[in-house]
């Protein structure tokens, strides 16, 4: 059963990935979010200074954090990949299918995802673009670890 979405006036839908008992990527949680959607115990950031930390190339962080947006055009998507990151994602507009090794789920505007570095991919089956925002934080590898690392031109 699909959890209620913020589009219906309730809390956002929360989807959390992980590994099943056989080590395959899967959806562990699909429910209505609470005020705290997810927390990580370690991440002190240095907020001093006045430099602009935006711009530059997209990177899978090994230290610090990355706050990015991605657009998936109709018919667009990504290959299956895993990262050594903890990702906090919000669908701003449109719809996108999250693909794991054990199944798929459609994320709609207002839904939130906590991706815990597992093998996954994206696919936009709709006729409208999908925009997501994502905060990536370094994490210890799970399963076989990252298949995507470094910097990318997006």
């Amino acid at each position: 059963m699909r959890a209620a979405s913020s589009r219906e006036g309730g809390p956002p839908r929360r989807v959390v990935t992980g590994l099943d008992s056989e080590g395959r990527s899967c959806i562990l949680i699909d429910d209505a979010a609470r005020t705290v959607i997810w927390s990580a115990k370690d991440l002190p950031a240095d907020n001093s200074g006045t430099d602009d930390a935006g711009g530059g190339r997209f990177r899978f962080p090994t230290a610090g954090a990355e706050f990015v947006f991605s657009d998936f055009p109709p018919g667009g998507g990504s290959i299956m990949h895993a990262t050594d990151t903890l990702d906090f994602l919000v669908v701003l507009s449109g719809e996108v299918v999250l693909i794991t090794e054990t199944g798929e789920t459609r994320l709609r505007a207002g839904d939130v995802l906590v991706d815990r570095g597992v093998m996954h991919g994206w696919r936009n089956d709709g006729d409208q673009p999908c925009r997501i925002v994502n905060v990536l934080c370094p994490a210890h590898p799970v399963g076989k670890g990252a298949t995507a690392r470094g910097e990318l031109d997006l």
Side-chain angles (χ1 to χ4, degrees):
M1 182 167 98
R2 188 175 186 290
S5 167
S6 60
R7 292 179 311 281
E8 298 153 2
R13 174 182 176 214
R14 176 181 73 143
V15 176
V16 179
T17 64
L19 298 177
D20 68 11
S21 61
E22 297 176 25
R24 300 174 302 173
S25 62
C26 66
I27 304 297
L28 290 177
I29 301 168
D30 188 343
D31 65 6
R34 299 180 266 310
T35 300
V36 176
I37 295 168
W38 198 261
S39 64
K41 301 299 179 202
D42 296 314
L43 265 187
D46 182 357
N47 286 329
S48 64
T50 58
D51 292 342
D52 182 354
R57 297 180 67 198
F58 171 84
R59 67 184 177 89
F60 294 100
T62 57
E66 193 84 356
F67 182 39
V68 301
F69 75 90
S70 299
D71 290 325
F72 297 104
S78 74
I79 62 169
M80 291 290 285
H81 63 283
T83 62
D84 291 340
T85 59
L86 170 63
D87 299 354
F88 304 111
L89 181 143
V90 179
V91 179
L92 294 181
S93 61
E95 299 181 356
V96 68
V97 176
L98 169 67
I99 307 159
T100 67
E101 293 171 300
T102 59
E104 301 180 352
T105 191
R106 183 174 309 281
L107 300 173
R108 296 176 172 92
D111 291 346
V112 297
L113 170 69
V114 178
D115 179 45
R116 299 171 58 219
V118 302
M119 185 67 72
H120 68 284
W122 302 102
R123 186 180 69 239
N124 182 347
D125 292 337
D127 58 3
Q128 298 295 315
C130 175
R131 173 165 284 183
I132 62 172
V133 293
N134 191 359
V135 176
L136 299 89
C137 305
H140 297 291
V142 296
K144 296 175 184 158
T147 62
R149 294 181 177 88
E151 295 182 352
L152 300 174
D153 289 320
L154 297 180

